[in-house]
Every structure is written in structure tokens, then in C-alpha cells.
Amino acid sequence: MSAQLPDISRRRFIVSASLAATAVCVVPHRVFGGEESLVLASRKAGETANITVQALRGNISALIGSGGNIAVLPGGDGKLIIDSGFLGTRGKISAALSSLSPDPIKHLINTHWHFDHTDGNEWMHSAGATITAHENTRKHLSTATRVEDWNFTFPALPAGAIPTDVFNADKTLHLNGATIALKHYEPAHTDGDISIYFTETDVLHTGDTWWNGYYPFIDYSTGGSLNGMIKAAEANLAMVTDKTIVVPGHGPIGGKKEMIEFRDVLTTIRNRVVALKKEGESLNEIVAAKPTAAYDAKWGSGFVNGEFFTKLVYKGVG
Ligand SMILES: [Zn+2]
């Protein structure tokens, strides 16, 4: 019994160390399948996370450090915020928002339903935000939802945390002098992913259809698709030029060059797994063949390591 304690402590230490090192909420895969759910470990890490404010362009800023990357556009119509981070980081997120401008919080957009992008919904709604999202995001937040790969069942969120301004295709908002295009993807990371494009300033928030420098999670429990992820990566590339500033769901702010790399890594690994499967290799044999090996040092240090990503790809190639 007691022999397990150092192991648990070590896991927590690794979570904290990872946050400190990267200022991005990435949790090692080793918490998967253990007694501590990835969800609980991530939320705990959020309690001590620091928020970095990064000015982007045209008064848009990113708040990095609590779950998925947050973007903010202040102005006379009230602050527009993309994704709400972890509840445990509320104080630091509030302080960062106040440092940008005195405008009240009025609008929150969820890129998708996952907890690391929506745990702050309730407090932001209490502060004055109307919540906008795809209708599938509202559906998943409104009911108990199990994610098998996280070994966790999320209860329905309280009424105030659930998006009330929902849409099922694309939608355009006009706020704070900006034209803001919301685009829904075919099933990719989930079935409710949207991106947000600030037209005049050429700033794009991709939500979790793009992870900059990390293998992405694909949530098959709520409609995710590997081929959909690759199609979303192509669709994102079609939206940007070399000048576009792009906020990924996870990882540092980047642009077209890094998005091409992400698309190529996904495509290459998919093709390798497809080829091994065609040769009759089992899942265990394919994992042992390490089809991600060349990429693991750069891409496997976060939320999804090479082995876990191989399993996600295997599941996604039919
Ligand atoms: Zn997600």
C-alpha cells in the first residue's frame, strides 16, 4: 500500500513541473489509467497555474496557462472571450482580464465542450457573459458525458454554464468593431468544434483542431474522427496566409508554418499505421513498432504521448 504513495506524489510533481516548464496545461500520459484521472490531475494543476498574457494584434490578446488557450477582444461592447479555462485559475484569469481593460465581460465563445475550455463558463456567465457555441457543445454540456479515454464521466453543467446562443453551421458576429467568423468543422476533435476568425486583424483561434507542437487528443466518445482532424488541419491551412496569427487550442501561438508541420505529422503517422494494419499487425504489434518514434521528442511530451497517439490513430483508421 505505502509503496504506491511515492508514485502518486511523483505524478503530481510531474504535472506541476510540466506546467512550470511550458506554461501550457499539458499533463503526462502516465496519469492515464491510474487511480488519478487525467481530468482531476489537470484541474488540480490549474489551481496553481500561472497566466501569461500575450498581445497578438488589433487589441486581441491571448491568455495562456489554464487549460485551452484563451483569446480576448475588449471594447465598447464588453469583453469577448474565447474559452474559459479551469475554475481553479479564476483569480488569475480575472486579474489578467482586468489588466487588459475595464470593459465588463459580456461574451464568451466555447470552441468545443471539453472541460479545459469550459470549466470557467459558470463564473464568466455570472460576471455577465452570454455563451455562444455549436449546438453539439451545448448538447454535451447539458447531459452527463463519459470520455472513456479519460476514465471520467462529466456531469451536466449547471444552467448558467450552458451556452444559450447556439448555431449549427457557421455564424458571424459584429462586436467591438470586429467581424468575427465562427466556422463549424465536420467531426474532428469532437463533433462540435468551431474556429473563430477575426477578419480585419487576421487572427484565428482554431480551438483543439490544432495543437501546436503536441499530438492532439481525438475524442471518439463525442464524435471525434482522425480523418476529420486531418481535414480540419487542411481547412485551417486554407484559411491562413503567412501573416495570419493563429492561436492553437494548446501550445504556443503560431502560424501557417507550424500548421503545415502538424498536418504532415498527422498524415504521416496515419499512413504508417494504415500500412502496418494492412500487413495484418495487431494493435500491440503496431504500438511496439513505434510508428511515431521520429516525432515523439518534439510532439509527445504533452497530454498525448507517442504510444497513446498511436492507439488513437489505430482506433481512427477503421
Ligand atoms: Zn479538447
Side-chain angles (χ1 to χ4, degrees):
M1 295 279 279
S2 63
Q4 291 180 354
L5 289 175
D7 188 38
I8 293 168
S9 305
R10 187 166 167 271
R11 287 176 188 177
R12 289 186 179 146
F13 169 75
I14 291 166
V15 169
S16 312
S18 167
L19 276 164
T22 64
V24 172
C25 186
V26 288
V27 177
H29 174 238
R30 67 199 75 208
V31 302
F32 278 79
E35 59 272 57
E36 189 174 42
S37 163
L38 166 101
V39 174
L40 299 178
S42 300
R43 283 176 169 158
K44 190 172 301 185
E47 291 170 9
T48 51
N50 286 315
I51 298 296
T52 305
V53 178
Q54 186 173 344
L56 301 179
R57 188 188 284 150
N59 216 20
I60 301 168
S61 296
L63 271 51
I64 299 173
S66 178
N69 291 328
I70 295 170
V72 186
L73 174 63
D77 297 322
K79 284 193 180 92
L80 165 72
I81 303 172
I82 301 171
D83 285 345
S84 62
F86 288 123
L87 182 58
T89 329
R90 173 180 178 167
K92 287 174 185 164
I93 292 173
S94 289
L97 290 171
S98 298
S99 77
L100 294 173
S101 84
D103 305 309
I105 295 172
K106 286 286 188 189
H107 311 275
L108 170 64
I109 300 172
N110 289 148
T111 57
H112 62 297
W113 76 274
H114 283 156
F115 71 109
D116 50 332
H117 302 254
T118 58
D119 273 5
N121 275 19
E122 191 175 23
W123 80 259
M124 287 194 185
H125 174 72
S126 303
T130 298
I131 307 175
T132 300
H134 187 265
E135 63 183 19
N136 288 340
T137 295
R138 176 168 69 180
K139 185 177 80 180
H140 299 311
L141 292 176
S142 304
T143 184
T145 302
R146 170 100 186 144
V147 178
E148 210 54 57
D149 284 320
W150 293 343
N151 188 27
F152 200 84
T153 303
F154 296 86
L157 290 190
I162 293 174
T164 52
D165 176 28
V166 298
F167 61 99
N168 62 15
D170 295 345
K171 182 181 176 83
T172 304
L173 302 174
H174 298 276
L175 291 167
N176 296 331
T179 308
I180 304 156
L182 280 50
K183 169 189 158 54
H184 178 237
Y185 298 81
E186 294 296 304
H189 173 69
T190 67
D191 61 7
D193 306 303
I194 60 167
S195 60
I196 296 90
Y197 181 60
F198 295 89
T199 307
E200 293 83 0
T201 44
D202 194 18
V203 174
L204 173 68
H205 192 313
T206 62
D208 277 1
T209 62
W210 180 40
W211 299 42
N212 189 7
Y214 298 105
Y215 295 131
F217 180 58
I218 299 167
D219 185 358
Y220 295 111
S221 67
T222 54
S225 155
L226 170 68
N227 287 330
M229 262 321 259
I230 294 172
K231 278 187 199 157
E234 296 283 4
N236 286 337
L237 277 171
M239 291 174 70
V240 303
T241 69
D242 291 337
K243 294 189 175 63
T244 310
I245 295 174
V246 190
V247 182
H250 298 274
I253 307 302
K256 187 172 185 178
K257 181 170 160 283
E258 295 83 13
M259 293 164 76
I260 290 172
E261 201 181 341
F262 176 78
R263 186 268 320 267
D264 290 348
V265 167
L266 296 195
T267 307
T268 303
I269 294 172
R270 176 191 61 185
N271 293 348
R272 284 181 188 168
V273 172
V274 166
L276 290 166
K277 220 172 170 181
K278 268 194 188 141
E279 289 168 17
E281 305 263 299
S282 68
L283 172 59
N284 286 343
E285 287 166 336
I286 292 173
V287 167
K290 297 190 187 300
T292 65
Y295 302 108
D296 286 351
K298 175 164 182 187
W299 296 81
S301 66
F303 189 78
V304 177
N305 69 10
E307 179 182 333
F308 184 46
F309 189 59
T310 302
K311 289 176 179 172
L312 289 172
V313 171
Y314 181 89
K315 204 187 284 189
V317 299

